[in-house]
């Protein structure tokens, strides 16, 4: 499991004076990029391979409010990956300074070729690296079908 610590800034707080929804999204994004950087998927290597990450969805579950004053930690676990690395699923947990879990997120995404703007498999060197990562307890091999479970067709709308 990868873990990153954050200080809650004034700009991370909403009108209710607790951590804003947008801050959760930003913390997760920063955690993912830190994780990828650690694997050698840094900005320069992504540019060299014309590669970029795309988020399909982020499903948030909030358990308790959190306020400025003490740091929070955000975890990342690899919960799914397609055989070619094109699709990925990460789970994030948010922990307060006492280690209490106050939120959870399930996110799924893919890799896009920045020139063709189409989904693409990971280059073999990146696929090899991500396959060395410890997998979450309920890890699964993803298929394109897993990314389409919420798609509605016109007949569904009738």
């Amino acid at each position: 499991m990868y873990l990153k610590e954050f200080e809650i800034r004034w700009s991370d707080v909403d009108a209710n004076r607790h951590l804003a929804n947008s801050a959760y999204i930003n913390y997760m994004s920063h955690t993912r990029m830190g994780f990828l950087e650690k694997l050698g998927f840094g900005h320069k290597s992504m540019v060299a391979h014309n590669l970029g990450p795309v988020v399909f969805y982020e499903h948030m579950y909030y358990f308790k409010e959190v306020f400025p004053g003490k740091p929070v930690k955000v975890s990342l676990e690899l919960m799914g990956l397609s055989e070619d690395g094109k699709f990925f699923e990460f789970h994030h947990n948010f922990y307060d300074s006492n280690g209490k879990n106050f939120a959870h997120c399930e996110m799924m995404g893919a890799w896009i070729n920045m020139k063709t703007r189409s989904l693409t498999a990971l280059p073999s060197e990146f696929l090899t690296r991500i396959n060395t990562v410890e997998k979450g307890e309920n890890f699964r091999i993803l298929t394109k079908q897993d990314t389409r479970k919420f798609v509605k067709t016109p007949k569904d709308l009738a």
Side-chain angles (χ1 to χ4, degrees):
M1 172 174 54
Y2 180 80
L3 202 58
K4 190 158 193 66
E5 185 171 282
F6 296 90
E7 175 184 343
I8 299 176
R9 302 166 301 175
W10 178 252
S11 60
D12 296 332
V13 177
D14 66 13
N16 294 320
R17 295 183 297 279
H18 60 206
L19 190 61
N21 175 270
S22 58
Y24 285 86
I25 302 300
N26 288 332
Y27 288 3
M28 289 184 299
S29 178
H30 195 78
T31 299
R32 286 192 295 273
M33 296 315 293
F35 168 77
L36 293 171
E37 179 77 38
K38 184 177 171 188
L39 285 177
F41 290 45
H43 182 73
K44 286 182 182 179
S45 59
M46 283 193 231
V47 168
H49 288 88
N50 295 309
L51 192 65
V54 175
V55 174
F56 290 157
Y57 66 77
E58 293 173 307
H59 293 164
M60 285 296 306
Y61 303 89
Y62 303 99
F63 310 135
K64 187 172 180 359
E65 291 180 295
V66 67
F67 303 95
K70 294 187 179 175
V72 298
K73 292 182 181 177
V74 180
S75 69
L76 179 149
E77 286 185 281
L78 179 60
M79 297 303 291
L81 188 67
S82 61
E83 289 180 352
D84 63 359
K86 181 188 296 184
F87 304 113
F88 54 86
E89 181 178 355
F90 296 135
H91 285 196
H92 295 281
N93 281 294
F94 290 74
Y95 300 97
D96 66 18
S97 60
N98 297 318
K100 183 169 177 149
N101 183 210
F102 64 87
H104 174 79
C105 180
E106 300 163 0
M107 73 79 58
M108 185 175 285
W111 295 99
I112 187 172
N113 179 301
M114 299 299 287
K115 283 189 177 179
T116 65
R117 309 306 290 184
S118 60
L119 298 181
T120 188
L122 275 177
S124 60
E125 66 182 271
F126 290 163
L127 185 58
T128 299
R129 290 180 198 162
I130 201 162
N131 276 322
T132 66
V133 171
E134 181 182 345
K135 314 292 190 283
E137 185 177 330
N138 296 314
F139 176 85
R140 62 194 174 121
I141 302 295
L142 299 175
T143 66
K144 183 177 180 179
Q145 191 66 7
D146 292 311
T147 71
R148 304 295 190 255
K149 64 184 175 181
F150 297 108
V151 172
K152 298 289 184 191
T153 62
K155 93 175 173 177
D156 294 329
L157 302 175

